[in-house]
Amino acid sequence: MTKTKTPKKKKTRTNATAETMAAGQRDISVSEFFAKNRHLLGFDNPRKAMLTAIKEAVDNALDACEEAGILPHVYVRVLQVNETRFKLTIRDNGPGIVREQIENIFGKLLYGSKFHRLKMSRGQQGIGISAAGMYGLMTTGKPVVIISKIKRKKAHEVVLKMDTTKNRPSVISDTEHAEDDKLFAEGHGTQVTIELEGKYQKGRQSIDEYLEQTAIANPHAQITYATPTNETIEFPRVIDELPEEPKEIKPHPKGIELGTLIQMLERTDQRQLGGFLTKDFCRVGATKAREIAKGADLTGQSWVKTIGHTEAEKLYDSIQKTRIIAPNTDCLVPIGSKALLAGLLKEVKAEFFAASTRPPNVYRGNPFQIEVAIGYGGGLGRDDSAKVLRFANRVPLLYSQSSCCSFKAVAETSWKNYGLTQPRNSIPSGPLVVMVHMVSVWVPFTSESKEAIADYDEIRKEMKLALQECGRKLGTYLRRRKRMARESERRSVFERYIGEISRCCNSLVGADTDKLYKALLKQAKRRTDDADAELDDEGNIIDDGGRLGNDDDVIIVDDLQDLPEQEDTLFGKSAKKKKKKITKKKRGKK
């Protein structure tokens, strides 16, 4: 007897209505978004997350100290709690934070003072340190502990966590801690402690590498680093003067888009178009404002509130057609060639150093400046590819190297012209360190995690020009060294046979053997005088005024015995004798 199969009931689909869809819609908090997409902020994995947290805290510490006119001393401690959990403590000697601002700075995303101003600074978006605290809360459930001391006031301890659904801080405790005053030897400063899940590992893209590179780009800062293995590493200060303070500028007309112009017209306090153009933009005077207004069939006395979308489009087109000088560059403070060389000398064990600082330039109306420094030879690895150190506003960039404009500029530079080996479409090989630094009021990062510089044509061109300038100096040095070595070989051949020639001449014509030997030796030295060329402490060629002899942006360290011995590492402590002497000389009038 066959069984009849009962047909399966079809599942009925419940179709949503406009009303049910509307009921499910709600605001998305920015902190809730980044909590689910933390990889966008650099918290991809435990190792990178720990580095990102320290990076954000150290950057904030350096910015705070410099704005307050204080030579920075930053203390970093990484304490391992268990196999996967670490407690990070970062303390600075900055001016401290007023009590009312502590929870907003550390417990709220997109809160800060640097986003709306056009002025060089390390931080830009107001995300970093609060995102680090949010990551620690998500992975360990532990709140952030902040201790801040303002001058002539007691230390204040605030324990807080972030409410990610509302993007606002929740204060757990708020107490005065007079016993914590001893943490701040200068009477002021801030300390933040974050417990998070992480992974500690030395080598490339590590906390150790980040702090070493930070010391290179900030030779005016002193950094003390306590590792998870209870080792204390000091990165001493080599320049006792702060960089000049950058000045804030107004937007440049050439750097804005139509929508931004319309918004600025709607928000301006100026009533007339002439006042709007001269007061709300940089590099626009009264004459240039009249020229821009005339090109849009307007006048300087036109009322701003009467300018609609059509008039704004004409005004925007007139701005693009008008010649306006580049924006002010006093908003930029480059490291400077001498400070670059001092930083490299402190951390890189090479024999040849050169630096170049390009004049300021503009991309999308934003002023920027490129600096490049190189180190060659010495104790650097000769069989590996060159090491590329990338910086933006004095901050090391350790990830996304291949997508960074700095790396592409190094790969596109023809290093073969300067005596180096270079595989096709790649960076050069050999004992070379290349440092590329971009300074700007707004660095065009490729993502919120600030790991790579976007590839703008104007930026890459400036980088290549600076790299080529340093490459020419290196090529001159290498050719000089080769010529000296070649002449030394020639002399050794002469010396090998001079004695025999002197004895033969004595037996043939009775010439004085010693007198003839000295005359021939003198002639050999004159013919191979390049072998006797010497370079002084600053790379000047003593016996002639060669091209390197008059270059203040070149340092050559001949006595490599003073360089420290290291195992499988690029950086090390500063040399005790000659390197310290050179650094002091190069500082000079800095």
Side-chain angles (χ1 to χ4, degrees), residues 307-526:
I307 297 177
H309 189 278
T310 303
E311 292 81 9
E313 282 200 64
K314 290 182 179 180
L315 186 63
Y316 180 78
D317 291 338
S318 177
I319 289 173
Q320 305 312 309
K321 294 174 183 176
T322 305
R323 291 179 61 86
I324 304 173
I325 60 176
N328 311 60
T329 57
D330 54 3
C331 56
L332 305 176
V333 180
I335 299 174
S337 295
K338 291 185 178 180
L340 277 174
L341 292 171
L344 280 178
L345 275 166
K346 183 178 69 168
E347 301 296 337
V348 178
K349 54 172 191 175
E351 67 186 57
F352 175 87
F353 298 88
S356 171
T357 300
R358 293 287 302 164
N361 209 318
V362 179
Y363 81 94
R364 286 181 52 197
N366 295 312
F368 75 97
Q369 199 167 0
I370 299 298
E371 299 179 287
V372 167
I374 62 173
Y376 177 85
L380 302 179
R382 299 186 174 272
D383 299 327
D384 302 328
S385 296
K387 174 86 171 179
V388 181
L389 310 181
R390 300 170 294 125
F391 295 83
N393 287 352
R394 298 177 181 260
V395 178
L397 309 178
L398 301 184
Y399 285 87
S400 303
Q401 178 174 266
S402 59
S403 61
C404 185
C405 183
S406 303
F407 184 81
K408 292 177 181 178
V410 175
E412 289 183 4
T413 302
S414 181
W415 294 95
K416 290 183 179 179
N417 297 338
Y418 313 122
L420 300 179
T421 303
Q422 184 178 17
R424 189 173 183 179
N425 299 324
S426 184
I427 60 175
S429 301
L432 180 68
V433 174
V434 183
M435 175 181 173
V436 183
H437 179 222
M438 178 180 179
V439 183
S440 180
V441 296
W442 188 259
V443 179
F445 292 114
T446 57
S447 67
E448 292 85 352
S449 55
K450 299 183 289 186
E451 296 171 351
I453 299 171
D455 192 13
Y456 282 86
D457 291 338
E458 303 94 325
I459 297 174
R460 196 196 295 195
K461 178 183 176 183
E462 286 296 310
M463 288 179 175
K464 289 179 68 175
L465 289 173
L467 288 164
Q468 289 167 356
E469 185 175 342
C470 287
R472 286 191 292 270
K473 296 173 183 178
L474 176 60
T476 300
Y477 169 74
L478 292 178
R479 287 191 296 271
R480 178 73 176 178
R481 284 295 191 202
K482 286 182 179 178
R483 189 162 62 250
M484 290 168 65
R486 189 167 56 247
E487 294 300 301
S488 179
E489 290 178 4
R490 286 183 61 198
R491 179 179 298 176
S492 66
V493 173
F494 288 143
E495 290 175 346
R496 193 179 307 161
Y497 296 104
I498 284 175
E500 186 65 27
I501 292 172
S502 300
R503 288 190 292 273
C504 290
C505 289
N506 175 264
S507 61
L508 291 173
V509 296
D512 189 327
T513 303
D514 292 339
K515 188 176 181 181
L516 183 59
Y517 179 83
K518 290 178 181 179
L520 290 173
L521 186 61
K522 184 178 179 180
Q523 189 69 247
K525 286 184 177 181
R526 187 176 67 83

Side-chain angles (χ1 to χ4, degrees), residues 36 93 170 234 275 277 280 289 335 362 382 407 431 476 490 544:
K36 291 186 177 181
N93 61 333
S170 175
E234 290 283 349
L277 292 172
D280 289 15
I335 299 174
V362 179
R382 299 186 174 272
F407 184 81
T476 300
R490 286 183 61 198
D544 70 43

